Amino acid sequence: LILERMESTPGPENGARGFTVTEMATAGERLLRDIGLVDKFSRVVFILGHGSDSVNNPHKSAYDCGACGGSPGGPNGRAIAQMLNDLRVREVIAKNGIAIPPDTYFIGGYHNTCDDSVLLADVDRVPESHRTDLVKIQADFLEACNRNAHERSRRFMSAPLSLTTRDARNHVENRSEDLAQVRPELGHATNAL
């Protein structure tokens, strides 16, 4: 993923695509301030875009990210994580009052809300010092996704209430590929008011 623009003016040609370091810092700082993450950073911070991958949902794009123009948000999560790992970007952000600790590492990814999975980007770039953290957190993501699938499955007529969390996860994965299932995302809106 090449994000840095070398030309001063943006455009469609190679070298004119992407962002300057200042633009990356502005985007990174804005995100951190908007979500309130300005201090007490964890060693590993995940920035996940969301979207929905299904075979037969006529409303599929409605489940993708509105802020991403109705497209899946995974590429944006990956891009902003890469920007925030750039030491030059961090230096600019620090001058504006947000000091990201040197041992904080950002990982971008994609949360597929249809089959309750998380795909992390660029894990091969994670520093050796953070690998143990990553392995534990990936196990936590799997457990959280399984539990979310279990909670959603309670609302599916096609799922028995006796499903284990792993069976529920299999059930939502199968719903995303079932050509007879035109609303595999069912179960995300649970506001009872």
Side-chain angles (χ1 to χ4, degrees):
L1 180 63
I2 299 171
L3 295 170
E4 187 172 357
R5 184 178 78 238
M6 298 304 173
E7 300 292 325
S8 59
T9 305
E13 299 83 29
N14 285 335
R17 295 179 181 162
F19 310 92
T20 65
V21 171
T22 302
E23 289 169 341
M24 288 189 272
T26 299
E29 180 183 348
R30 176 68 188 263
L31 172 73
L32 295 173
R33 288 194 187 283
D34 284 353
I35 64 174
L37 183 58
V38 295
D39 58 12
K40 299 179 184 168
F41 286 84
S42 174
R43 279 176 41 84
V44 181
V45 177
F46 295 91
I47 302 175
L48 302 179
H50 74 91
S52 173
D53 294 332
S54 60
V55 174
N56 192 30
N57 186 346
H59 309 287
K60 183 216 168 301
S61 65
Y63 290 102
D64 286 335
C65 180
C68 301
S71 297
N76 289 341
R78 180 183 183 209
I80 199 73
Q82 185 171 318
M83 290 177 192
L84 289 169
N85 285 326
D86 188 313
L87 296 179
R88 300 167 303 160
V89 169
R90 288 185 183 203
E91 188 176 297
V92 174
I93 292 173
K95 288 177 184 172
N96 294 328
I98 301 176
I100 300 169
D103 69 334
T104 293
Y105 191 79
F106 292 87
I107 300 174
Y110 174 65
H111 176 209
N112 181 344
T113 58
C114 188
D115 70 3
D116 285 310
S117 64
V118 171
L119 176 64
L120 300 176
D122 304 318
V123 292
D124 57 316
R125 296 174 137 189
V126 174
E128 191 63 40
S129 59
H130 290 64
R131 295 258 175 207
T132 302
D133 295 332
L134 179 61
V135 169
K136 182 190 177 323
I137 294 167
Q138 284 177 307
D140 291 343
F141 270 134
L142 180 60
E143 180 64 20
C145 288
N146 287 346
R147 288 182 184 202
N148 191 58
H150 189 256
E151 175 67 21
R152 286 178 55 215
S153 290
R154 294 182 317 115
R155 294 173 178 85
F156 299 146
M157 291 180 64
S158 58
L161 292 175
S162 60
L163 289 178
T164 65
T165 55
R166 183 61 225 163
D167 290 339
R169 176 71 180 279
N170 289 338
H171 187 78
V172 297
E173 287 173 353
N174 290 337
R175 284 176 67 88
S176 72
E177 299 174 354
D178 183 351
L179 293 179
Q181 190 55 256
V182 295
R183 288 185 177 76
E185 287 275 2
L186 187 68
H188 286 296
T190 57
N191 188 340
L193 296 178

